[in-house]
Amino acid sequence: MKLSKTLFIISISLLFGSLQAQDSDIKKPDFLQYENSKWVDSIMVELSPDERIAQLFMIPAFSNKGEEHTQEVLKQIKEYKIGGLIFMQGDPKSQLELMNDYQLASEVPLIGAIDAEWGLGMRLENSISFPYQMALGAIQDDDLIYDMGVEIARQIKRSGLHINFGPVVDVNNNPQNPVINYRSFGEDKENVSRKGIAYMKGMQSQNLLATAKHFPGHGDTDTDSHYALPQINHPFERLDDLEMYPFKELINAGIGGVMVAHLDIPALDSTGAPSTLSKPIITGILKERLGFKGLIVTDAMNMKGVAEGNEPGVVDKDAVLAGNDLLEYSEDIPKAITEIRNAINSGLISQAEIDERCRKILAVKQWVGLDQYNSIPVENIEEQVNSPEAKWLNRRLVESSLTLLKNENSLLPLQKLDTLKIASVSIGATKETEFQKALNLYTKVDNFQLSREADDSEISELKEKLEAYNMVIVGLHDFSIRPRNKIDLANGVQSFISELAVQKNTVFSLFKNPYVINSLENIEEADVLIEAYQDSELAQELAAQLIFGGVGASGKLPVTVGEKFEAGDGLDVKGGIRFKYTVPEDAGMNSKKLGNAVDSLMHQAMNAKATPGGVVLVAKDQKVVLHKAYGFHKYSDTIKVEKTDLYDLASVSKISTALPAIMKLSDEGKFDLEAGIDDYLPYFRNSNKEGIAFRQILAHQARFKPWIPYWKNTLRDNGSFRWNTFKKDSSARYPVRVSDELWLHRNYKKKIFKAIKKSPLEAEAKYKYSGLLFYLLPDIVERLTNEDFIKYINENFYDRLGATTVTYNPSEKFELNRIVPTENDFNFRHEQIHGNVHDEGAIMMGGVSANAGLFANANDLAKLMQMYLNMGDYGGIRFIDESTLKDFTKTQFPENNNHRALAFDKPYLEYRGEKSNTAKDASAESFGHTGFTGTMVWMDPKEDLLYIFLSNRVVPTRENTRLYKLNTRTQIQQALYDSIEE
């Protein structure tokens, strides 16, 4: 037989009597110190009894609903003197403008709240969403959760509000839970408690009130209380040990607020009343047994879990009688005030009890600073809400949540890129995903997409294509804004996933709720399985970086997934073997200083027509912190520069082609810096260059002439070409393409070498830049290796680095719209140079020279340069011995006033101001090179700093020297140093 409500309250009180909380064991909320303050007293004196009731109410406010809604809110503020507002949809700027207006209209400062469980982005556009709590539950460093609490508090306060209805501390032990699920830290009550406390303490350290929800625990239900009243049928002992455990822990830690859920829990109240209206639950358990003295808040009073069958106004009165302090989203304020007044008159509650709750709310207002309220400036709010520090924190949270559930044979991070032909398949996508774009930062990956409703013919076609690959990377994407706990894929697509999972060398990354794993047959058999928790761009980007070793994985699964994986599962893998793509703050640099300076200098250069566009890449500590494209391919062009575009590197080729080969051969004892050209090219014997050591030549003090105008040597006095030089059409004798109407004799390369051999020497052995040796180096490499030069450098360097755009003669491999054009050549080729090397000598070598001829995009070039900066190591591979690189990158002959290293440029021995070749703060250990087309690469081991500048300043012609006059490249380089935080 059911107990009456009165008898039940008596019995529940007897049950809990021996378990009554001791105040000494509980940290009281900080705001309670103000309950009897002068300011609270002064407000209480001014409020009528009904106005004190009104302070218990919080109504919804939207900043995207227009003037009619605004006037309705203003009316309730002025007529009833309500206590506060809960902001729903909108944007930070509009919200703050409205909050300022509402505060101005209110005689008592309004408390402002928001549901920002994962940050302002949960409710407001143009603001940051941090990871959902399920992802946060995977993180092993709770200090990060504290930092997130601090940052969310900063953003909420900046937007004019004072309470966050978070954290969710429900223990999600029901995979079918439709409303909590990914909003929970997981199924482990200890983990939920630790993270809830960290989040709470972070917020409350900034005097933002945190609200633990949804008491007494909404985790074990398959009903959404927004639409119906869920019932939880567990005995008291289980509820006390599990569901209520995190709330007890947070109360003991000093949480300021607790939100009560709409739940039917027979073991706690057999009357069937929703917990929001249950005095046994709110007063008997939360207040008396658990000793909670803080602010008790209802869940939204318009939710069907409480509103169904209960009249507006009357239901609010019942919530107050049950023990709630603050009622959220009341639907009828005047009726509620009347009902509560009638309850006071009937003796169901006293005015003194109402006054006590009103004081509590006013104490919160004082604690959050409303006793000294001033209108909050709106200017720059969105920039400040979306600060670089907040973005960096968001990256750290997502990165730390990545959970590696399988890694057979330590497949991740992927190694031996030169042996892999990789395809990526994004399932659930219809266009290239951020995941796929990020994969391509590391090596060439061919991208495919498969819709969630794909039919058998589409799947069959894709299977056939995948047969050509020995590595498949699968991204499983979500189809909704939030990660649902169900799979929504056609049967054929699910079967396709199942087939892929059992194949070797298949990597799966799930951008979905972890519970979905249980619905995917064979997914646990995959060689690699990454759980990324949600389908955000950031999660996709960082999962790709994990696969290639840019970042590591340390996350642990916060929930059990059927019989496949248990809570706590997760493998640790270290990152940092290849580039990490991140924000400047991650490397101790200031985003604003760096970004503003680079943007300003690039726009200055483009406005001055020093270059039509360019790409800048900056990496510090092997972290790419800036990678940006500017402008257009040509001044009159509509083709915008993309970060993936290839540029003619000009003399940067000198340190990017034969030089790494020479260093490797030096390591192997096959090349000697003290030998001469004639030791490796016998036809230089008996020449004036015989016996001159490579160390002297590479340091540019071997008395070599700077250059030889080879193409001019092909001309007769009348301007026509000499016999056996050029023809207008190609043939077996004239196979070397210089332009469509200019084909060079097959043996002309010998004439170039002969010209170098016979060229006179300078009179004095001092520094004089010369490119002559670099025409010869490819031949030397071929003689020493017995391999084709291009094949050798590809196999030993570019392919292993994943630098797949570093190439000669790029038009043979890439579309022209990916290759940035250079000069309008009015003298030799009589065309705009596009897709071929700008340098005349290099094009006469078939485009293949160590002097010039190499093309690359900034990202791929950076891999080679980072290997140099790492003193020979990148991607877990040792390319060149450290001692060799240190020798090649040090100044060789400073006693001869020569600042150069071996092929590498170095800072001048003394800084020369604007005439210097580097930034003022570039260290003496730094090294790099510049190129005639307007390129520059520079590495500084002291700061572990890499700088790449690509431009085509020779547009329209080489006479355009504005880039030099503006000193753009070195000014940008100095900006990098200026942005490094002390």
Side-chain angles (χ1 to χ4, degrees):
M1 184 177 177
K2 264 190 175 179
L3 292 171
S4 71
K5 189 168 184 177
T6 304
L7 288 174
F8 178 79
I9 293 170
I10 294 170
S11 67
I12 205 81
S13 299
L14 290 172
L15 174 63
F16 297 149
S18 61
L19 301 172
Q20 192 76 17
Q22 299 297 315
D23 285 352
S24 59
D25 298 333
I26 298 171
K27 186 181 186 304
K28 293 182 180 179
D30 291 340
F31 73 82
L32 289 175
Q33 63 187 293
Y34 297 116
E35 275 187 302
N36 298 296
S37 70
K38 289 182 180 179
W39 183 79
V40 170
D41 289 345
S42 70
I43 300 295
M44 288 293 292
V45 168
E46 296 296 324
L47 294 175
S48 69
D50 279 3
E51 289 170 346
R52 295 175 188 179
I53 294 172
Q55 283 293 303
L56 277 55
F57 291 95
M58 177 173 279
I59 65 168
F62 294 75
S63 58
N64 63 352
K65 279 198 172 182
E67 186 60 25
E68 185 178 346
H69 171 73
T70 300
Q71 290 304 318
E72 177 59 31
V73 174
L74 283 168
K75 177 183 175 183
Q76 300 208 52
I77 290 170
K78 292 174 180 177
E79 287 192 16
Y80 307 114
K81 296 186 180 176
I82 55 170
L85 304 170
I86 174 170
F87 273 85
M88 307 300 288
Q89 301 159 357
D91 63 81
K93 183 174 183 290
S94 301
Q95 174 181 286
L96 181 54
E97 288 172 337
L98 281 177
M99 192 58 173
N100 283 338
D101 291 344
Y102 293 148
Q103 293 286 21
L104 188 64
S106 182
E107 293 182 21
V108 178
L110 296 160
I111 196 84
I114 192 167
D115 273 313
E117 296 165 19
W118 51 86
L120 286 179
M122 180 174 174
R123 290 287 185 240
L124 304 182
E125 297 175 355
N126 307 325
S127 54
I128 289 179
S129 287
F130 293 98
Y132 298 121
Q133 285 188 198
M134 185 71 79
L136 299 178
I139 295 173
Q140 299 306 293
D141 181 3
D142 291 341
D143 288 344
L144 278 175
I145 312 299
Y146 176 91
D147 292 343
M148 184 190 75
V150 171
E151 178 57 32
I152 288 176
R154 183 191 70 81
Q155 294 185 21
I156 292 175
K157 292 182 72 175
R158 180 66 184 88
S159 63
L161 308 182
H162 321 95
I163 298 177
N164 187 7
F165 287 149
V168 173
V169 291
D170 301 312
V171 179
N172 200 83
N173 41 28
N174 186 338
Q176 301 307 315
N177 194 316
V179 62
I180 303 303
N181 205 284
Y182 63 87
R183 296 164 62 196
S184 166
F185 289 119
E187 70 178 40
D188 181 346
K189 66 180 183 180
E190 299 285 355
N191 190 38
V192 170
S193 300
R194 286 194 306 271
K195 288 180 168 56
I197 289 170
Y199 189 1
M200 172 270 289
K201 286 187 173 181
M203 287 190 285
Q204 293 191 173
S205 73
Q206 306 303 302
N207 282 56
L208 183 98
L209 194 79
T211 313
K213 63 186 187 184
H214 306 80
F215 185 82
H218 206 320
D220 193 4
T221 175
D222 56 9
T223 302
D224 186 343
S225 53
H226 289 85
Y227 306 108
L229 180 64
Q231 187 175 77
I232 296 180
N233 286 299
H234 290 301
F236 170 77
E237 291 76 14
R238 148 67 190 262
L239 295 166
D240 182 56
D241 179 63
L242 184 59
E243 273 77 7
M244 287 191 279
Y245 181 86
F247 293 96
K248 291 188 285 187
E249 292 296 299
L250 267 75
I251 289 168
N252 291 341
I255 185 82
V258 169
M259 178 181 284
V260 180
H262 309 310
L263 299 168
D264 175 11
I265 312 176
L268 303 184
D269 187 340
S270 64
T271 65
S275 45
T276 336
L277 310 182
S278 170
K279 190 166 186 177
I281 292 175
I282 296 173
T283 299
I285 298 178
L286 182 56
K287 285 186 173 182
E288 295 175 359
R289 179 172 181 259
L290 302 186
F292 182 59
K293 306 294 184 186
L295 194 71
I296 300 176
V297 186
T298 68
D299 207 342
M301 296 300 290
N302 68 332
M303 291 167 60
K304 294 200 177 199
V306 70
E308 192 76 43
N310 290 305
E311 186 181 348
V314 175
V315 74
D316 301 298
K317 176 258 299 180
D318 291 341
V320 169
L321 294 179
N324 292 288
D325 300 314
L326 185 63
L327 279 62
E328 176 200 350
Y329 222 121
S330 297
E331 295 188 281
D332 192 335
I333 298 296
K335 178 78 180 292
I337 292 173
T338 298
E339 289 291 332
I340 294 169
R341 171 56 50 205
N342 291 338
I344 294 170
N345 295 337
S346 302
L348 296 175
I349 190 170
S350 67
Q351 183 67 48
E353 289 177 276
I354 296 296
D355 290 353
E356 179 186 355
R357 296 180 199 182
C358 179
R359 281 184 173 277
K360 191 185 290 187
I361 291 164
L362 293 173
V364 171
K365 292 184 178 184
Q366 184 169 358
W367 182 72
V368 300
L370 284 170
D371 59 326
Q372 300 178 35
Y373 172 76
N374 287 303
S375 180
I376 300 174
V378 175
E379 292 75 21
N380 302 318
I381 180 173
E382 289 189 358
E383 178 186 346
Q384 291 167 9
V385 162
N386 296 287
S387 69
E389 293 76 15
K391 292 176 182 176
W392 179 34
L393 174 60
N394 200 19
R395 298 186 73 90
R396 289 155 62 201
L397 289 163
V398 175
E399 179 183 337
S400 298
S401 73
L402 294 175
T403 304
L404 185 60
L405 294 172
K406 290 285 297 298
N407 192 22
E408 289 296 314
N409 301 315
S410 299
L411 191 59
L412 295 194
L414 295 182
Q415 298 286 345
K416 299 182 179 179
L417 300 184
D418 55 319
T419 68
L420 300 178
K421 187 174 183 185
I422 306 174
S424 75
V425 181
S426 280
I427 297 176
T430 55
K431 61 181 181 180
E432 186 181 49
T433 61
E434 292 302 315
F435 180 57
Q436 292 177 316
K437 290 176 185 176
L439 291 172
N440 272 279
L441 291 170
Y442 291 96
T443 192
K444 186 179 189 308
V445 178
D446 293 329
N447 298 328
F448 303 94
Q449 294 81 39
L450 190 70
S451 72
R452 60 191 176 106
E453 305 97 354
D455 59 28
D456 290 345
S457 64
E458 292 176 86
I459 295 169
S460 179
E461 183 181 350
L462 179 56
K463 283 181 182 178
E464 188 175 337
K465 290 177 180 177
L466 294 180
E467 288 177 2
Y469 299 87
N470 61 6
M471 170 70 65
V472 178
I473 299 173
V474 182
L476 185 56
H477 297 270
D478 214 324
F479 324 117
S480 60
I481 296 173
R482 296 175 184 176
R484 298 173 298 172
N485 58 333
K486 65 177 183 178
I487 198 79
D488 189 11
L489 296 168
N491 290 335
V493 176
Q494 291 195 55
S495 297
F496 174 64
I497 292 170
S498 177
E499 289 176 30
L500 281 178
V502 297
Q503 294 180 10
K504 288 296 180 186
N505 290 345
T506 303
V507 174
F508 274 88
S509 188
L510 272 61
F511 304 104
K512 294 182 72 64
N513 189 306
Y515 287 123
V516 166
I517 292 172
N518 201 42
S519 303
L520 294 170
E521 187 178 356
N522 292 334
I523 194 72
E524 71 279 11
E525 301 298 325
D527 281 351
V528 174
L529 181 59
I530 300 165
E531 173 56 55
Y533 299 97
Q534 58 197 80
D535 200 11
S536 67
E537 289 187 0
L538 194 50
Q540 291 183 44
E541 180 189 328
L542 287 165
Q545 294 192 40
L546 169 60
I547 289 168
F548 285 98
V551 302
S554 60
K556 300 291 179 281
L557 197 64
V559 292
T560 295
V561 181
E563 296 183 357
K564 296 183 177 182
F565 297 101
E566 295 182 357
D569 283 352
L571 304 169
D572 289 345
V573 63
K574 287 187 176 181
I577 71 164
R578 295 189 180 94
F579 277 131
K580 177 181 184 181
Y581 296 86
T582 182
V583 293
E585 282 68 23
D586 197 0
M589 300 176 81
N590 184 295
S591 287
K592 290 181 181 178
K593 284 184 181 179
L594 179 63
N596 291 344
V598 175
D599 286 353
S600 175
L601 289 164
M602 282 301 295
H603 285 112
Q604 178 194 57
M606 290 186 295
N607 290 338
K609 294 195 180 308
T611 180
V615 176
V616 178
L617 184 146
V618 179
K620 187 175 186 303
D621 305 331
Q622 201 167 282
K623 299 171 182 178
V624 176
V625 298
L626 187 147
H627 184 197
K628 193 168 182 179
Y630 296 86
F632 296 87
H633 281 201
K634 298 185 289 185
Y635 293 111
S636 59
D637 215 339
T638 58
I639 301 177
K640 289 184 177 180
V641 175
E642 302 290 343
K643 292 186 291 186
T644 52
D645 286 345
L646 283 73
Y647 275 82
D648 183 334
L649 303 182
S651 282
V652 171
S653 303
K654 290 180 171 67
I655 63 169
S656 307
T657 57
L659 188 68
I662 290 298
M663 287 191 275
K664 177 176 171 56
L665 292 168
S666 177
D667 289 342
E668 296 169 353
K670 297 176 182 177
F671 179 82
D672 184 359
L673 281 168
E674 309 312 325
I677 295 177
D678 53 297
D679 287 312
Y680 302 119
L681 297 177
Y683 53 83
F684 271 82
R685 289 172 189 165
N686 302 316
S687 74
N688 58 1
K689 297 170 184 65
E690 181 179 3
I692 300 177
F694 277 102
R695 190 179 293 275
Q696 294 278 343
I697 304 170
L698 289 168
H700 297 284
Q701 68 166 40
R703 300 164 58 202
F704 283 17
K705 291 289 182 184
W707 68 295
I708 297 172
Y710 306 106
W711 74 272
K712 290 183 179 180
N713 294 341
T714 66
L715 296 175
R716 297 189 180 98
D717 292 340
N718 64 4
S720 64
F721 290 113
R722 297 178 189 277
W723 178 251
N724 281 353
T725 57
F726 289 105
K727 298 294 181 186
K728 285 189 175 183
D729 295 311
S730 65
S731 67
R733 295 185 68 193
Y734 294 87
V736 181
R737 183 188 177 279
V738 173
S739 73
D740 286 343
E741 296 187 355
L742 213 55
W743 296 82
L744 185 64
H745 193 280
R746 64 190 177 191
N747 292 328
Y748 197 82
K749 179 179 175 182
K750 294 179 181 179
K751 292 188 177 184
I752 291 176
F753 286 8
K754 187 176 180 180
I756 295 172
K757 178 181 177 181
K758 289 190 171 184
S759 63
L761 297 175
E762 297 287 336
E764 189 178 351
K766 63 180 182 180
Y767 168 63
K768 192 156 192 175
Y769 182 81
S770 171
L772 299 188
L773 170 69
F774 295 90
Y775 287 94
L776 309 173
L777 284 177
D779 264 28
I780 292 174
V781 171
E782 289 185 344
R783 285 171 178 263
L784 294 176
T785 63
N786 292 317
E787 287 188 48
D788 174 77
F789 173 66
I790 293 178
K791 184 172 184 284
Y792 181 83
I793 57 174
N794 279 335
E795 290 181 350
N796 286 280
F797 297 99
Y798 308 151
D799 292 348
R800 299 174 81 197
L801 287 164
T804 55
T805 67
V806 180
T807 187
Y808 288 107
N809 296 316
S811 59
E812 296 175 3
K813 301 178 183 178
F814 298 95
E815 297 292 330
L816 278 180
N817 62 8
R818 284 197 61 187
I819 307 168
V820 179
T822 53
E823 182 177 21
N824 285 307
D825 183 353
F826 298 112
N827 298 311
F828 178 32
R829 283 171 272 187
H830 301 284
E831 64 180 12
Q832 177 154 47
I833 311 305
H834 192 187
N836 299 305
V837 60
H838 173 270
D839 182 82
E840 296 90 348
I843 195 65
M844 293 173 74
M845 298 278 289
V848 180
S849 164
N851 183 62
L854 202 65
F855 285 71
N857 68 31
N859 184 64
D860 281 345
L861 179 61
K863 296 168 188 175
L864 179 64
M865 299 302 131
Q866 186 67 45
M867 182 270 282
Y868 290 158
L869 186 53
N870 293 348
M871 292 293 120
D873 181 89
Y874 184 79
I877 299 171
R878 170 61 62 182
F879 289 87
I880 300 167
D881 283 351
E882 182 176 356
S883 60
T884 300
L885 254 167
K886 285 185 174 180
D887 186 22
F888 271 73
T889 57
K890 74 179 182 183
T891 299
Q892 298 293 307
F893 302 103
E895 70 282 358
N896 202 25
N897 199 29
N898 181 349
H899 67 282
R900 301 291 294 221
L902 298 175
F904 292 103
D905 198 2
K906 295 279 290 181
Y908 293 151
L909 299 178
E910 292 183 2
Y911 183 64
R912 303 177 188 176
E914 289 187 2
K915 294 183 179 180
S916 190
N917 64 336
T918 64
K920 171 176 60 69
D921 288 343
S923 76
E925 292 81 22
S926 69
F927 57 95
H929 217 286
T930 56
F932 186 76
T933 51
T935 58
M936 180 177 183
V937 299
W938 210 269
M939 295 134 277
D940 192 338
K942 186 176 180 182
E943 294 289 353
D944 201 358
L945 184 65
L946 167 61
Y947 167 47
I948 291 180
F949 180 99
L950 301 182
S951 79
N952 54 335
R953 69 97 196 160
V954 292
V955 171
T957 73
R958 68 188 63 197
E959 304 305 319
N960 180 11
T961 58
R962 297 185 188 97
L963 192 71
Y964 302 152
K965 292 173 183 175
L966 290 171
N967 208 21
T968 301
R969 293 178 293 186
T970 52
Q971 284 199 63
I972 290 177
Q973 187 185 30
Q974 182 58 45
L976 314 188
Y977 292 96
D978 293 341
S979 71
I980 296 173
E981 302 284 1
E982 296 296 330

